[in-house]
Amino acid sequence: MTSAPVLPAGAAGSGNARERARQLDRDDELGLLRDEFNIPTKGQIASTSLPEGSSANNNDSDTTTKCIYLCGNSLGLQPRRTQTRLSQYLSTWATQAVQGHFKPLTNSPLPTWLDVDERAAEMIAPIVGAHVSEVAIMQTLTANLHLLMSAFYKPDANKRHKIILESKAFPSDHFAVETQLRHHGLDASKSMVLLKSERSRDNILTTEEICGVIDQHKEDAFLLLLPGIQYYTGQLFDIETITTYAKERGIFVIWDLAHAVGNVELRLHEWGVDAAAWCSYKYLNGGPGCIGGMFVHENNSAVTKLITDERPEEGYNHRLAGWWGNDKKSRFGMENRFHPVKGAAGFQLSNPSVLDITSLCASLEVFEQAGGMGKLREKSLRLTKFLEEQLEGMGEEEKGLFRVITPLDPKQRGAQLSLGLGSGLLEGVMKELERQGVIVDERRPDVIRVAPAPLYNGFEDVVGFVEAFGEALRVARRERDAF
Ligand SMILES: Cc1ncc(COP(=O)(O)O)c(C=O)c1O
């Protein structure tokens, strides 16, 4: 583990480290954003019932201490303003009913429901580095991957038909690719190319390895589907280099940005990414199962024919369509002739859930308050580096019980560090962390993922986690060795 330290050394979990962490938190210009979030108390996360009263953030009588939440890679915390925006939405529905679709209310910060998707696109575009017309807030991640493939994956079994993806892709991506191939009557064993590292047992893939596989299949690969950040290892791929390399060889490139969006800086337009999809419940804090998003590069969404043309279907690339993707001017004309909106919005199917979008946009307001992804990433780099250093500073005995799987090069990771535990320790570690009010997530058989999110985590969270983790390792080892 080499690279410039965030801080002069202070033994992990020592008073010294905590003092320094507090100082870093005091100096943090984004530190106040923590107050924008509902951080559960230790009492709340231990409780098996809803709190009395309507507020999710009731003061616990026995403990008002916040839990240590390092799990934004799985589910982001709830912004406080989500409740306000949702009750404004509910109030609009209650008092305006169908008029909510088109009637602006003078004192409401919310757009009319007909415009809600456009407002969301404006807010997400800077987060993914796209033109507003290149993004659509719609559906969910896996559905969007299917929709993108339905639009852009047009295989020819005798020429280009293969899809390249990782061998350890998130199962939903694997299933989506496998079933797309079957849908086209192709044999997955022949048309699916699985990227597997020759040198890393954790399947940390170098850019060279990926480009090597692209070269091997440059004649017959149609599509490359990769995650911006790998969910298990936390590896951040070089999206720009890989995209350029694949495209120069005639391969269409789609990125799954589930773990990258709201986590690292993205420049999808500038990097020439063909298309991408993401969910909004992780670093975007939209809430569980919240609406997803899609990017389609402007080069891929042209509509070349006028709406009055006799054969409008020839003026755009084919896709699975619905009325919400139809040009707004003619959408309500109720004609059975599909003419898509130019841009990503032309890939929408249904009118979107306003409930979902309202929830997502409440969180995107906090991103605006943060001043954009540049500032967040800058803090995130320091925070994760600090976590790495505190782990490195643990006692030799504890360090012998885990290893960091995520690349140590900060350019190759986002907020998350994945820690591989010694065999038989996972259950005991998770139980002890939970007992101490520390929330991280687990991936069986023996990995925990720890993700300090710069919007609401601070340096003291990291020190608290490392202290608890040391204790959890000792307890888990004792329990394991007692059997
Ligand atoms: C990398 C990745 N791909 C796909 C998915 C599936 O997302 P969804 O259930 O929103 O389709 C997830 C969910 O966590 C994920 O992490």
Side-chain angles (χ1 to χ4, degrees):
M1 293 187 181
T2 51
S3 50
V6 173
L7 295 168
S14 69
N16 193 18
R18 194 172 279 278
E19 252 330 294
R20 287 174 182 286
R22 286 188 178 143
Q23 187 57 49
L24 284 168
D25 284 335
R26 280 193 292 272
D27 293 344
D28 174 15
E29 62 167 316
L30 297 181
L32 285 177
L33 292 177
R34 184 176 169 88
D35 296 338
E36 292 285 333
F37 289 86
N38 284 314
I39 301 173
T41 63
K42 287 187 174 180
Q44 284 168 341
I45 61 166
S47 172
T48 53
S49 62
L50 283 174
E52 296 296 321
S54 59
S55 166
N57 216 31
N58 270 357
N59 270 356
D60 267 346
S61 54
D62 63 346
T63 169
T64 51
T65 314
K66 302 291 182 194
C67 77
I68 297 178
Y69 192 85
L70 299 170
C71 207
N73 58 307
S74 180
L75 181 73
L77 288 178
Q78 184 190 102
R80 284 174 189 271
R81 67 181 68 203
T82 303
Q83 203 163 19
T84 312
R85 295 289 177 257
L86 289 183
S87 67
Q88 285 161 337
Y89 156 74
L90 288 173
S91 172
T92 310
W93 179 21
T95 59
Q96 301 296 321
V98 72
Q99 298 186 113
H101 282 298
F102 43 82
K103 181 172 152 192
L105 300 175
T106 51
N107 58 350
S108 171
L110 304 178
T112 60
W113 301 338
L114 274 186
D115 297 322
V116 83
D117 46 351
E118 278 178 27
R119 171 74 156 270
E122 280 163 21
M123 294 178 92
I124 199 77
I127 293 176
V128 296
H131 296 162
V132 174
S133 61
E134 291 175 315
V135 288
I137 295 302
M138 55 184 273
Q139 309 293 335
T140 51
L141 173 50
T142 309
N144 285 337
L145 289 174
H146 271 300
L147 290 174
L148 286 172
M149 286 192 269
S150 88
F152 296 111
Y153 177 58
K154 315 281 183 194
D156 173 346
N158 299 314
K159 210 163 175 277
R160 287 191 184 270
H161 58 98
K162 291 183 179 167
I163 302 183
I164 305 174
L165 71 163
E166 322 155 76
S167 58
K168 299 231 168 123
F170 192 86
S172 207
D173 295 29
H174 188 102
F175 301 154
V177 167
E178 204 171 30
T179 53
Q180 280 284 331
L181 293 171
R182 294 216 181 103
H183 184 69
H184 286 280
L186 295 166
D187 178 350
S189 70
K190 297 202 178 90
S191 296
M192 216 166 168
V193 178
L194 299 177
L195 286 164
K196 195 165 183 332
S197 174
E198 295 294 328
R199 37 162 288 287
S200 159
R201 66 172 154 147
D202 300 310
N203 213 37
I204 302 286
L205 290 154
T206 63
T207 303
E208 291 68 34
E209 280 178 302
I210 296 170
C211 292
V213 173
I214 290 172
D215 271 334
Q216 276 170 36
H217 299 278
K218 63 175 189 256
E219 303 298 335
D220 52 10
F222 193 108
L223 177 70
L224 173 69
L225 170 64
L226 282 180
I229 290 183
Q230 217 282 347
Y231 79 98
Y232 189 86
T233 64
Q235 181 186 8
L236 167 61
F237 290 100
D238 183 344
I239 299 177
E240 183 178 16
T241 304
I242 296 168
T243 299
T244 306
Y245 199 83
K247 283 181 65 178
E248 281 170 0
R249 282 146 190 83
I251 299 169
F252 195 88
V253 186
I254 299 179
W255 290 91
D256 171 343
L257 300 175
H259 290 262
V261 68
N263 180 5
V264 292
E265 282 184 280
L266 297 166
R267 299 204 176 88
L268 300 183
H269 174 83
E270 191 183 315
W271 295 340
V273 165
D274 280 315
W278 57 86
C279 54
S280 66
Y281 39 80
K282 299 178 187 292
Y283 297 97
L284 292 184
N285 316 308
C290 191
I291 195 161
M294 180 194 278
F295 165 87
V296 181
H297 198 281
E298 66 181 4
N299 297 341
N300 298 321
S301 62
V303 179
T304 56
K305 298 268 168 146
L306 292 174
I307 200 157
T308 49
D309 277 3
E310 283 307 304
R311 303 180 65 191
E313 70 277 8
E314 288 187 350
Y316 57 92
N317 77 302
H318 294 278
R319 66 197 69 178
L320 296 181
W323 75 313
W324 219 253
N326 201 70
D327 192 272
K328 237 180 171 177
K329 290 195 284 296
S330 60
R331 185 188 287 161
F332 299 97
M334 295 317 201
E335 277 183 29
N336 284 338
R337 202 172 74 165
F338 179 60
H339 192 284
V341 190
K342 188 167 171 243
F347 291 78
Q348 294 178 97
L349 301 186
S350 307
N351 74 102
S353 160
V354 179
L355 181 65
D356 271 33
I357 294 195
T358 304
S359 177
L360 171 60
C361 287
S363 173
L364 298 185
E365 287 181 30
V366 187
F367 277 81
E368 284 179 350
Q369 221 178 318
M373 283 308 302
K375 286 194 173 172
L376 282 170
R377 174 66 168 155
E378 191 274 326
K379 175 176 171 187
S380 176
L381 283 167
R382 290 192 298 123
L383 206 48
T384 301
K385 181 79 193 156
F386 185 66
L387 171 60
E388 181 194 322
E389 285 168 8
Q390 293 301 304
L391 290 169
E392 179 61 34
M394 289 173 80
E396 290 307 317
E397 252 183 78
E398 288 82 7
K399 280 201 304 186
L401 296 173
F402 75 94
R403 67 195 173 91
V404 180
I405 289 175
T406 309
L408 295 182
D409 172 7
K411 286 207 263 347
Q412 291 185 60
R413 67 187 186 202
Q416 169 188 329
L417 289 187
S418 301
L419 309 180
L421 307 183
S423 150
L425 294 175
L426 181 67
E427 207 173 310
V429 164
M430 288 301 286
K431 204 167 73 190
E432 177 60 19
L433 286 177
E434 196 181 319
R435 194 191 67 74
Q436 294 200 42
V438 176
I439 309 273
V440 295
D441 85 348
E442 63 178 24
R443 286 286 167 214
R444 292 192 174 272
D446 45 33
V447 165
I448 64 169
R449 303 183 300 176
V450 186
L455 271 179
Y456 47 76
N457 286 124
F459 293 84
E460 201 177 352
D461 285 332
V462 169
V463 172
F465 162 75
V466 173
E467 278 178 3
F469 182 51
E471 177 64 11
L473 284 168
R474 290 188 288 274
V475 170
R477 185 184 50 186
R478 252 196 327 269
E479 282 173 3
R480 180 193 67 184
D481 294 348
F483 283 102

